[in-house]
Amino acid sequence: MDVVSLDIPDVKIIRPKKFGDHRGFFSETYTKKTFEAAGLHYDFVQDNHSLSAEVGTVRGLHFQLPPFAQDKLVRVVRGAILDVAVDIRKGSPTFGRHVSAVISAAEWNQILVPIGFAHGFCTLEPDTEVIYKVTNYYSPEHDRGLLWNDPELGIDWPVSADKAQLSAKDHKHPTFAQLGDWF
């Protein structure tokens, strides 16, 4: 497994080994001991799976408050996404900055987004399926968000606001300036 830190070093791109032959391929997409050998110590407790039918579907930017905050390991099994992580850790030197990466089935890469980041993605291909592991259970009472297209964040999304497909909830998240001190 290859592990590469992004410009905010706590967010990492992970590329599991993939072994192929005339039948197809095999890959261990997550192995606890391999992650721990790479210095990545996480206890994942839940897997989530989403299907986004249309290009330009935006999900996010989401996070959960402590004590239900979640680390996320995100991968794409069909299609591609632009994945975004915004640092919302108040004392962090990268507070308010974001990183992004294309995560795709073709590239066979994953992104590790730690606690203290608002996370979201935009689909780049139709019928994109995303699977992600989390280190805590979903808690509606602790579920929060950040407005995906807040100009203060400066995220270069691959879709305009009038073309983006969003949930009603994701349209209503607060801006970065309105966000509380959660981490």
Side-chain angles (χ1 to χ4, degrees):
M1 163 178 95
D2 297 323
V3 179
V4 176
S5 293
L6 293 179
D7 287 343
I8 299 176
D10 293 334
V11 182
K12 301 184 184 312
I13 297 295
I14 296 166
R15 186 167 279 113
K17 300 292 183 203
K18 193 174 187 182
F19 305 95
D21 62 21
H22 68 281
R23 301 168 297 166
F25 72 87
F26 174 81
S27 180
E28 291 181 350
T29 58
Y30 172 76
T31 306
K32 187 172 182 131
K33 69 179 180 179
T34 304
F35 268 62
E36 288 179 350
L40 305 172
H41 300 277
Y42 296 93
D43 185 20
F44 293 108
V45 298
Q46 179 175 312
D47 282 6
N48 300 317
H49 189 152
S50 71
L51 166 68
S52 299
E54 295 185 40
V55 172
T57 297
V58 175
R59 295 181 184 261
L61 299 159
H62 302 147
F63 61 96
Q64 284 194 175
L65 302 178
F68 286 90
Q70 299 173 320
D71 303 287
K72 297 178 181 178
L73 178 62
V74 180
R75 67 188 183 102
V76 174
V77 294
R78 180 170 53 172
I81 60 175
L82 177 71
D83 198 276
V84 176
V86 179
D87 189 346
I88 57 173
R89 302 170 298 174
K90 192 68 166 184
S92 167
T94 56
F95 177 68
R97 289 185 35 216
H98 74 277
V99 289
S100 64
V102 173
I103 306 298
S104 71
E107 289 296 316
W108 206 245
N109 57 351
Q110 304 177 25
I111 189 166
L112 180 65
V113 181
I115 288 171
F117 285 78
H119 172 258
F121 62 82
C122 178
T123 57
L124 303 174
E125 296 180 16
D127 299 318
T128 292
E129 291 188 60
V130 176
I131 295 176
Y132 57 102
K133 297 180 161 314
V134 293
T135 56
N136 215 329
Y137 300 102
Y138 176 66
S139 173
E141 299 81 27
H142 297 85
D143 188 28
R144 297 293 186 276
L146 175 59
L147 187 63
W148 72 284
N149 63 345
D150 179 355
E152 185 177 346
L153 298 174
I155 300 169
D156 187 17
W157 291 101
V159 65
S160 62
D162 62 321
K163 301 275 192 226
Q165 299 295 315
L166 289 118
S167 69
K169 182 175 87 170
D170 286 349
H171 273 291
K172 299 176 188 172
H173 291 312
T175 64
F176 186 73
Q178 297 167 327
L179 201 62
D181 296 341
W182 304 115
F183 297 95

